[in-house]
Amino acid sequence: MADKYAVIGNPVEHSLSPAIHAEFARATGQDIVYGKILAPLDGFRAAAFRFRDEGGKGLNVTLPFKHEAWHLAGQRSGFALAASAVNTLTFHGAEVIGDNTDGIGLVRDLTQNLRVPLRGRRVLLMGAGGASFGVVEPLLREQPELMVVANRTLEKAITLVGHFGQFQHYAAQGLVARSYEALAGSQFDLVINATSAGLANAMPPLPTGIFAPGAMAYDMVYAKRTPFMAFAQEQGARVSDGLGMLVEQAAEAFFIWRGVYPETRAAMAMLRRQMPK
Ligand code: ATR
């Protein structure tokens, strides 16, 4: 019988994960079924355990349950330890193992798909919510020159920087928190938008001139052209949405579950064909 997996979230209707994992399974010849679970906002734990008790082998966890999934996991591995968020659960008998593949997905998309090196580069991460927590450690381990976290509510950026203090030595000039106003006059080689502003057709108050020559502007949002992407393009930066991150984090989850690393180009091309232009 095929092994069962699913993505769990609220909302989950428009999740692309079933299509991505179906493509990975086809390409690698793995016999799996992959579904969608809409969990009530107060019912994540019960829904996850019901799936496990019905024979489910693993779950991808999406908003708003990544922090609850971190609590649910009896063992946390890799980047999940510090991220305070889990996006991949694996059920081994009574054991629940939590991983976080979001950051590695972002790093792979940047370095392998987009050919944006991180080592020695100046990186600006916008936002200090769950999306940022998930990617800080893997980004720092690429040894950028400097990583600045900017947030509308500065205290949250300061909290994030304190939380990841043990990893800041990976960046030559460390990990620092800034307000958006304090960015005026600075330039970055990579600017990552991990805020939810784009979903509301807004953008963080970035000063002009923030992009160094040849800089990359990366928005974690996909299936949407955000005001940040438009601003970055006007300012002369290269621009990417977060579709590659989505596919690469899924590939890493597939590898954790199946021990086989899927090729991601076919899944990416399939999704691009379905995206609004
Ligand atoms: P997530 O888990 O998706 O990161 P979150 O924890 O609600 O969601 O965090 C959303 C992030 O987007 C926060 O950093 C938020 O800034 P504040 O901490 O100041 O609220 C940021 N954000 C949302 N809308 C924004 C906007 N219009 N301009 C700038 N930042 C915005």
Side-chain angles (χ1 to χ4, degrees):
M1 214 175 62
D3 287 338
K4 284 200 313 178
Y5 299 89
V7 56
I8 185 167
N10 186 337
V12 79
E13 183 53 31
H14 297 291
S15 171
L16 298 173
S17 294
I20 296 171
H21 283 276
E23 169 56 26
F24 290 166
R26 188 199 60 74
T28 58
Q30 292 282 310
D31 188 18
I32 68 164
V33 289
Y34 189 107
K36 272 181 215 171
I37 299 172
L38 175 67
L41 290 176
D42 61 353
F44 167 73
R45 199 181 175 86
F49 281 137
R50 190 174 322 120
F51 181 73
R52 194 260 318 260
D53 295 344
E54 290 168 2
K57 299 280 189 211
L59 287 169
N60 283 137
V61 182
T62 185
L63 297 178
F65 300 127
K66 291 184 185 184
H67 188 60
E68 272 188 77
W70 187 81
H71 282 291
L72 187 95
Q75 273 182 51
R76 297 163 192 137
S77 51
F79 295 129
L81 274 177
S84 295
V86 153
N87 77 338
T88 304
L89 288 170
T90 308
F91 302 121
H92 273 311
E95 271 178 55
V96 182
I97 302 156
D99 284 274
N100 192 315
T101 66
D102 284 330
I104 195 83
L106 172 63
V107 167
R108 287 226 176 91
D109 193 35
L110 285 166
T111 58
Q112 294 176 17
N113 299 334
L114 298 166
R115 309 242 173 250
V116 174
L118 293 169
R119 198 186 167 116
R121 304 300 158 108
R122 295 158 293 177
V123 178
L124 171 62
L125 179 65
M126 300 191 291
S132 289
F133 268 75
V135 300
V136 169
E137 184 191 342
L139 286 171
L140 281 172
R141 284 185 185 269
E142 294 295 308
Q143 303 181 351
E145 173 66 19
L146 167 74
M147 193 156 139
V148 173
V149 179
N151 199 45
R152 190 172 56 179
T153 315
L154 180 60
E155 294 72 39
K156 281 170 69 180
I158 293 170
T159 300
L160 182 149
V161 165
H163 184 89
F164 289 97
Q166 61 178 308
F167 304 108
Q168 71 150 326
H169 66 274
Y170 285 106
Q173 294 186 47
L175 175 68
V176 296
R178 291 263 185 283
S179 67
Y180 288 107
E181 302 81 69
L183 296 175
S186 303
Q187 285 208 320
F188 295 89
D189 305 297
L190 171 63
V191 181
I192 300 168
N193 187 10
T195 75
S196 51
L199 301 174
N201 264 325
M203 75 169 256
L206 265 186
T208 55
I210 199 88
F211 298 102
M216 166 62 81
Y218 192 99
D219 203 314
M220 289 193 194
V221 167
Y222 53 85
K224 187 174 182 16
R225 188 174 157 77
T226 62
F228 167 65
M229 292 183 211
F231 171 81
Q233 194 165 27
E234 278 161 30
Q235 294 274 309
R238 283 175 71 195
V239 175
S240 176
D241 69 4
L243 192 71
M245 174 179 172
L246 176 77
V247 173
E248 296 295 340
Q249 65 75 29
E252 184 69 19
F254 191 89
F255 175 70
I256 288 167
W257 291 333
R258 309 302 300 176
V260 184
Y261 210 93
E263 199 278 318
T264 51
R265 259 172 308 185
M268 206 100 80
M270 171 194 76
L271 296 177
R272 281 277 174 230
R273 283 195 295 273
Q274 299 171 8
M275 288 288 133
K277 289 285 172 291

